[in-house]
Amino acid sequence: MKDGQPSAIYLKDYQVPAFLIDKTELVFDLDESVTVVTSHLHMRRNPESKHKTAPLILDGGEDVKLIAIAMDHYQLPSEEYCLTDNQIIITATADEFILTCETLIEPQNNTRLEGLYRSSSMFCTQCEAEGFRHITYYLDRPDVMSVFTTTIIANADDYPVLLSNGNEVSRSVNEEGKTVAVWHDPFPKPAYLFALVAGDLNVIEDQFVTQSGRTVELKIFTEAHNIDKVDYSMDALKRSMKWDEDKYGREYDLDIFMIVAVDDFNMGAMENKGLNVFNSSCLLASPKTTTDDGYQRVEAVVAHEYFHNWSGNRVTCRDWFQLSLKEGFTVFRDQQFSSDMNSPVVKRVEDVSFLKTAQFAEDAGPMAHPVRPASFIEISNFYTLTIYEKGSEIVRMIHTILGEEMFRKGSDLYFDRHDGQAVTCDNFVQAMQDASGINLSQFKRWYSQAGTPRVEVSGEYDDVEKTYQLTVSQMTPPTSNQPTKLPLLIPVRMGLLDNEGNVLNADLDGVNAQEHVLHLDKAEQVFKFKNVASAPIPSLLRGFSAPVKLSHNYTVEQLLLLMSSDNDGFNRWSAAQELAVRELTALIEQVKLGETLTVESQLLVGFKRVLSDETLDKSMVSLILTLPSQAYLSELATEIDPHAIKAARTHLKRLIGCALEQKFADCYSQNNAKVDYLPTADQIAQRKLKAVALSYWNESDSVTARRAVIDQFNAADNMTDQFSALSIAVNVGHSDFQVMLDDFYSQWSHEALVVNKWLMLIAGQEADNGLDQVRGLMEHEAFDLKNPNKVRAVLGGLGSSVSTFHDTSGSGYEFLADQIILLNKRNPQLASRLCTPLTRWKKMTPSLSVLMQKQLERILSEELSKDVFEVVSKSLA
Ligand code: B3K
Ligand code: ZN
């Protein structure tokens, strides 16, 4: 960092705003060269502020050019206000006044994709968290809520569609022949929920009748060539609206709900009031171009953004430290929704697997932060897995502790009590506590303590007394700025099995049941079960009832039993993972010591049983058969040696593939039925199992297996089958894989989202000339540095290639650092996210660690955005 270092802001410094904005009237005169934004802000001093004479300080980005500013129509001369790079300060104001600002912006040059910018041929906005200040001067904070009226003026030929929040109240033609559209949103909202879209777009329309009988118009807009890919989104939207009524009693409030797809977008989507804007990757779906995972993502994101209408928009955040108030709760809601729409166990395994891989890594790294952070330099850096996924786990634990009925009472109370307000995580927990009568004061530590708690459990059976005693201890390791931690309230759902895998009844504190929820609240405690017929095997942390690392010294036989017989589906998967981790850990050590790799794989025994178990859901079979990922094993390692992890995984996978060759071949053909594609849970499960079987089968040197890959690739009528075949060909180094990659590109070069999959697959290849390939991709006609999806495809792909990214020369790290430096100025949010793999440097094996550190230091010596500075400087600290 060359100049002055950006400073942090702190939660403890929060103060209510000195001014409020009751009404916001905006006029946008859109133009490809300069856009003029005029605002009329109806302001008054906030009676709740104790600073009765505080100056008015408006936020505004350095990219906003002030033309004129007036108070109650009096043009302020420049000596009556102070204009800095990012603020206007006006010392003398009345108690109530109308502030008028005329500003110029250049959306066509906005590569940050925050504020108003252009994507393809359209204008669109992204205002969360602090993008509105790049549009005009404003009190850009979530606790300033205002009623917006937005006038959009644009050339009718290029921008027939002009949208903003709320309802369209008028549309006319002005004296220059331009269209003038006026939108009014009756619901007060913070500026981060403002949206504007202008473009030549196609639309599909539908309706939803709410539980109280109101008809809501539903519209999804895309560019013409994508309009055939939004039927599934519309269907997901209607299901979400119904589900939120049924499950939470929440009805949609405006008469119209719109979604627009844009290609250039930093995140997945945005919940602007009445006008959601989506990254096209999270909205478009068609069988030929979208995989099953893609369909499920679209369903989940459509639901997530819709659910924000209550958890986020009607009840919003007081300040950005409370981000998880809306994000954690909304992720929990979208997870519940997907679970109800598909298979609950499968959904839980997928979510937990992601949490344990990525969020646990974040919680153990230099950017570890509590779900309610105490400080930040750049809020964009805090749209993290901790805020979202761990935030959701916190809500889930409240759900577990309160039970379904009390939780619903709590959420009703929360929504009713705080409707129209900007509130805190404490307010959420308070509502849950008030509705249930359950004291959650200790539980609240989950919001302020960073790090993943470790829970150790040991069991002792007394054959005479027929009692079983569990001794449980918890500790949370220190994280930066938090050297000591206090015990948390941790709900541990558990059951007991006998040696045959049958469920046992047991008494705990007078309650006789097959399942109990232990409430851990001390550093160490003992739970004593009575009337336990025989020595049990505990099935612990069922459904992953708390985001902790739990350990128990299971024998291999016990893990095999849990894997094949536990009546908790989640724990069957969990036992398989534990067994695989043990075998892989042993192999990793052998690689590190230069020994010949040998393993008496018991996992094989378990896999054989699972493959023959007709009662198991096919998705569960695939999940159990999936070896722990490179990323998960890295998270578990005390010192990451990516090459050793890769070698161990490759060895075990091959061993299993060869040993069970016939079983995989049979499994493949049994599931290779020809059906008309539907994204239903059953079909998805079948395609997934087929892909897993094909992948293992290709570990053997079977020519038939190789042939099956090519046949599937050529015959596929859906992207799931086509892409899984292509990935297997690339990963096993099939002799035809280059031809297949070329064919794939020729077939799909006109479909940007499919091309992104192709870019990612090539960039992630384990190839000797990997970096040259990545360089080639960045020069390819299909690449565009302005498009975050493409940048993520190539550089995310690179990050997943062990041989290229972790090349022992450090060339992979250097290349990534070059791209971060390049993007730092163009798109700081994107650049900052790309730093993640380098931030793990302290955990890497020493020879790689120093190479990563060197690149981080090189980045830090540049003139950096706040975004990149915060991540890199914290990583090096
Ligand atoms: N709330 C948005 C995230 C916007 C992030 C801006 N840096 C999407 C979501 O979580 O629903
Ligand atoms: Zn969200």
Side-chain angles (χ1 to χ4, degrees):
M1 193 78 193
K2 295 257 161 70
D3 299 329
Q5 294 187 349
S7 51
I9 64 162
Y10 293 87
L11 168 60
K12 64 177 166 45
D13 295 339
Y14 174 82
Q15 298 202 347
V16 297
F19 290 86
L20 301 173
I21 310 177
D22 294 320
K23 281 199 288 181
T24 298
E25 291 155 1
L26 301 168
V27 181
F28 288 81
D29 197 342
L30 298 176
D31 187 277
E32 276 96 15
S33 53
V34 166
T35 288
V36 183
V37 183
T38 310
S39 67
H40 297 279
L41 310 180
H42 297 242
M43 307 190 75
R44 63 186 161 95
R45 283 193 179 274
N46 182 0
E48 309 216 326
S49 166
K50 49 182 197 285
H51 304 290
K52 301 295 174 207
T53 56
L56 172 63
I57 304 176
L58 298 154
D59 308 297
E62 66 294 341
D63 43 1
V64 175
K65 186 162 174 219
L66 183 69
I67 301 302
I69 181 164
M71 254 185 191
D72 290 329
H73 307 295
Y74 164 71
Q75 287 293 335
L76 294 183
S78 56
E79 57 280 9
E80 289 189 28
Y81 62 91
C82 168
L83 186 63
T84 73
D85 263 1
N86 49 22
Q87 286 178 335
I88 292 178
I89 304 164
I90 306 171
T91 323
T93 72
D95 286 345
E96 199 168 335
F97 53 91
I98 298 178
L99 185 81
T100 305
C101 284
E102 190 179 325
T103 48
L104 299 184
I105 47 176
E106 296 180 357
Q108 70 281 7
N109 295 328
N110 180 350
T111 55
R112 307 164 61 99
L113 314 187
E114 286 176 274
L116 180 68
Y117 64 94
R118 286 185 66 97
S119 174
S120 308
S121 58
M122 59 207 271
F123 286 94
C124 61
T125 52
Q126 172 53 37
C127 293
E128 188 178 355
E130 296 179 337
F132 195 80
R133 63 188 62 189
H134 295 282
I135 293 176
T136 189
Y137 287 94
Y138 203 74
L139 300 180
D140 191 6
R141 45 187 287 171
D143 55 355
V144 172
M145 300 172 78
S146 183
V147 172
F148 280 66
T149 304
T150 305
T151 302
I152 313 170
I153 306 169
N155 164 346
D157 290 339
D158 298 326
Y159 307 102
V161 173
L162 300 175
L163 310 174
S164 190
N165 316 87
N167 304 306
E168 190 178 64
V169 288
S170 72
R171 201 175 165 96
S172 56
V173 178
N174 72 6
E175 59 283 1
E176 293 171 57
K178 290 184 172 180
T179 313
V180 180
V182 181
W183 288 80
H184 176 75
D185 179 3
F187 291 95
K189 64 169 176 290
Y192 85 84
L193 290 172
F194 170 79
L196 177 155
V197 170
D200 187 357
L201 303 172
N202 283 22
V203 62
I204 64 159
E205 303 191 33
D206 207 328
Q207 289 185 334
F208 179 80
V209 180
T210 68
Q211 59 187 11
S212 71
R214 282 187 312 104
T215 299
V216 180
E217 301 298 327
L218 310 177
K219 301 187 184 195
I220 302 185
F221 297 85
T222 71
E223 289 179 274
H225 62 278
N226 283 328
I227 201 67
D228 58 336
K229 303 187 196 76
V230 285
D231 293 344
Y232 186 72
S233 300
M234 184 63 92
D235 179 58
L237 173 61
K238 289 189 288 181
R239 285 185 282 124
S240 308
M241 296 177 86
K242 176 80 172 72
W243 184 90
D244 213 14
E245 291 183 346
D246 294 346
K247 188 88 173 182
Y248 282 87
R250 299 293 119 196
E251 180 173 330
Y252 185 65
D253 45 15
L254 286 162
D255 297 333
I256 177 167
F257 185 83
M258 299 174 286
I259 303 180
V260 181
V262 304
D263 287 339
D264 305 303
F265 204 71
N266 276 338
M267 304 273 290
M270 179 62 211
E271 70 263 24
N272 316 299
K273 183 77 188 186
L275 176 55
N276 287 187
V277 175
F278 271 58
N279 186 326
S280 46
S281 70
C282 294
L283 192 71
L284 307 180
S286 79
K288 286 199 159 49
T289 57
T290 311
T291 59
D292 292 334
D293 290 349
Y295 268 90
Q296 294 198 314
R297 179 155 171 77
V298 166
E299 180 182 65
V301 180
V302 167
H304 178 99
E305 304 311 330
Y306 174 73
F307 296 154
H308 267 314
N309 190 55
W310 274 96
S311 49
N313 301 2
R314 289 287 287 255
V315 183
T316 196
C317 302
R318 185 193 74 174
D319 54 74
W320 290 121
F321 299 100
Q322 319 295 331
L323 181 56
S324 194
L325 171 79
K326 74 178 179 79
E327 295 305 347
F329 187 23
T330 306
V331 170
F332 176 67
R333 278 150 55 70
D334 85 53
Q335 289 176 345
Q336 283 185 307
F337 169 76
S338 296
S339 170
D340 285 354
M341 296 295 130
N342 302 287
S343 151
V345 185
V346 171
K347 174 68 181 153
R348 189 64 187 138
V349 168
E350 288 166 354
D351 290 340
V352 171
S353 176
F354 179 54
L355 181 90
K356 289 175 80 173
T357 302
Q359 195 280 325
F360 280 15
E362 184 170 275
D363 235 354
M367 280 294 287
H369 55 275
V371 166
R372 183 187 51 223
S375 72
F376 58 74
I377 293 177
E378 169 54 61
I379 183 57
S380 299
N381 284 329
F382 286 77
Y383 286 76
T384 59
L385 299 162
T386 301
I387 302 292
Y388 277 67
E389 313 302 322
K390 186 172 180 182
S392 163
E393 294 302 318
I394 291 183
V395 178
R396 184 179 297 274
M397 287 189 284
I398 296 179
H399 184 274
T400 302
I401 293 167
L402 267 59
E404 176 72 26
E405 204 180 312
M406 287 298 180
F407 183 85
R408 171 64 195 269
K409 272 178 79 180
S411 72
D412 283 352
L413 181 61
Y414 168 71
F415 287 128
D416 293 347
R417 188 184 268 177
H418 298 297
D419 190 8
Q421 297 177 359
V423 303
T424 64
C425 298
D426 282 341
N427 293 128
F428 179 79
V429 179
Q430 193 63 48
M432 290 291 167
Q433 175 164 313
D434 291 348
S436 66
I438 295 176
N439 186 334
L440 294 169
S441 45
Q442 181 181 0
F443 181 84
K444 283 206 286 192
R445 288 178 189 157
W446 277 105
Y447 285 95
S448 53
Q449 275 188 191
T452 308
R454 309 233 162 113
V455 174
E456 277 186 28
V457 185
S458 60
E460 206 175 321
Y461 182 66
D462 185 329
D463 204 12
V464 180
E465 300 282 323
K466 300 289 175 211
T467 59
Y468 181 64
Q469 185 166 300
L470 278 182
T471 305
V472 188
S473 64
Q474 62 161 298
M475 70 79 76
T476 305
T479 50
S480 59
N481 300 325
Q482 285 191 334
T484 50
K485 315 273 183 179
L486 297 168
L488 296 162
L489 174 58
I490 303 176
V492 176
R493 210 147 68 73
M494 50 88 56
L496 300 174
L497 304 184
D498 70 14
N499 275 332
E500 263 78 59
N502 304 309
V503 191
L504 288 167
N505 272 307
D507 287 353
L508 179 68
D509 301 331
V511 179
N512 182 276
Q514 296 192 340
E515 190 166 88
H516 296 272
V517 180
L518 313 181
H519 286 187
L520 320 187
D521 56 5
K522 300 184 184 60
E524 184 167 316
Q525 59 206 112
V526 169
F527 297 88
K528 197 162 184 174
F529 297 85
K530 295 185 187 153
N531 299 323
V532 183
S534 59
I537 301 163
S539 163
L540 299 161
L541 205 65
R542 290 183 154 186
F544 206 66
S545 60
V548 301
K549 290 190 174 188
L550 184 139
S551 56
H552 176 71
N553 60 343
Y554 288 112
T555 63
V556 170
E557 290 67 34
Q558 289 176 330
L559 288 173
L560 283 170
L561 188 85
L562 287 167
M563 189 174 157
S564 56
S565 313
D566 197 335
N567 62 335
D568 182 74
F570 177 87
N571 270 6
R572 292 181 73 166
W573 170 78
S574 208
Q577 287 280 299
E578 168 75 23
L579 200 51
V581 164
R582 288 190 192 181
E583 296 187 359
L584 285 162
T585 307
L587 287 166
I588 292 167
E589 280 316 301
Q590 292 170 14
V591 181
K592 284 186 178 168
L593 296 169
E595 294 172 359
T596 315
L597 303 192
T598 48
V599 58
E600 283 284 321
S601 181
Q602 295 301 312
L603 199 58
L604 263 179
V605 180
F607 279 8
K608 218 189 271 178
R609 280 188 209 161
V610 164
L611 276 165
S612 323
D613 185 343
E614 306 267 296
T615 65
L616 260 181
D617 176 312
K618 289 182 196 249
S619 274
M620 276 313 291
V621 178
S622 335
L623 288 166
I624 289 174
L625 292 176
T626 305
L627 291 181
S629 65
Q630 176 87 22
Y632 182 53
L633 293 164
S634 304
E635 199 293 310
L636 292 179
T638 24
E639 186 182 290
I640 306 169
D641 181 340
H643 299 281
I645 295 175
K646 183 180 125 189
R649 286 187 82 250
T650 307
H651 180 85
L652 188 58
K653 183 145 187 226
R654 192 167 170 81
L655 187 135
I656 295 169
C658 294
L660 302 181
E661 180 183 340
Q662 195 51 50
K663 280 217 161 281
F664 286 121
D666 293 346
C667 177
Y668 179 72
S669 52
Q670 280 153 18
N671 289 286
N672 195 19
K674 186 116 189 82
V675 288
D676 288 336
Y677 180 92
L678 281 175
T680 55
D682 284 351
Q683 279 201 18
I684 290 173
Q686 178 145 347
R687 280 186 288 271
K688 179 95 170 268
L689 182 54
K690 181 170 86 170
V692 171
L694 186 61
S695 164
Y696 272 110
W697 185 21
N698 269 272
E699 291 294 329
S700 72
D701 296 319
S702 155
V703 179
T704 336
R706 298 274 189 279
R707 191 68 250 160
V709 172
I710 299 190
D711 289 348
Q712 178 170 318
F713 179 77
N714 290 332
D717 64 356
N718 64 80
M719 184 49 65
T720 309
D721 285 344
Q722 191 181 11
F723 198 72
S724 67
L726 182 63
S727 310
I728 292 168
V730 170
N731 293 338
V732 299
H734 199 295
S735 57
D736 282 338
F737 84 82
Q738 193 54 54
V739 178
M740 291 165 78
L741 279 170
D742 294 346
D743 285 354
F744 188 81
Y745 182 72
S746 328
Q747 187 183 350
W748 294 116
S749 57
H750 59 287
E751 287 287 351
L753 297 174
V754 182
V755 168
N756 293 349
K757 296 181 73 61
W758 176 84
L759 289 169
M760 189 164 212
L761 185 62
I762 299 178
Q765 261 184 92
E766 298 295 342
D768 293 341
N769 62 343
L771 200 53
D772 292 339
Q773 300 232 42
V774 170
R775 286 203 181 93
L777 290 177
M778 293 189 74
E779 300 291 315
H780 195 278
E781 57 171 15
F783 188 76
D784 177 2
L785 196 63
K786 184 172 170 259
N787 182 277
N789 291 351
K790 296 199 181 292
V791 173
R792 279 189 287 258
V794 174
L795 299 179
L798 165 68
S800 68
S801 163
V802 174
S803 50
T804 311
F805 186 57
H806 298 289
D807 187 283
T808 49
S809 69
S811 58
Y813 307 151
E814 185 179 3
F815 183 81
L816 180 64
D818 288 343
Q819 307 314 311
I820 291 168
I821 292 167
L822 179 71
L823 283 161
N824 163 60
K825 287 208 168 65
R826 297 177 58 96
N827 186 336
Q829 276 186 31
L830 180 60
S832 160
R833 277 174 191 268
L834 293 172
C835 295
T836 306
L838 296 173
T839 64
R840 307 281 148 81
W841 68 278
K842 282 186 187 160
K843 258 189 87 176
M844 299 299 289
T845 198
S847 58
L848 296 177
S849 178
V850 292
L851 296 170
M852 283 190 169
Q853 183 188 15
K854 191 170 127 195
Q855 295 308 324
L856 285 168
E857 281 164 355
R858 183 162 73 90
I859 298 172
L860 195 63
S861 69
E862 296 281 325
E863 196 165 313
L864 294 179
S865 58
K866 280 203 291 181
D867 310 58
V868 176
F869 172 76
E870 177 168 38
V871 172
V872 175
S873 61
K874 286 184 175 171
S875 307
L876 286 168

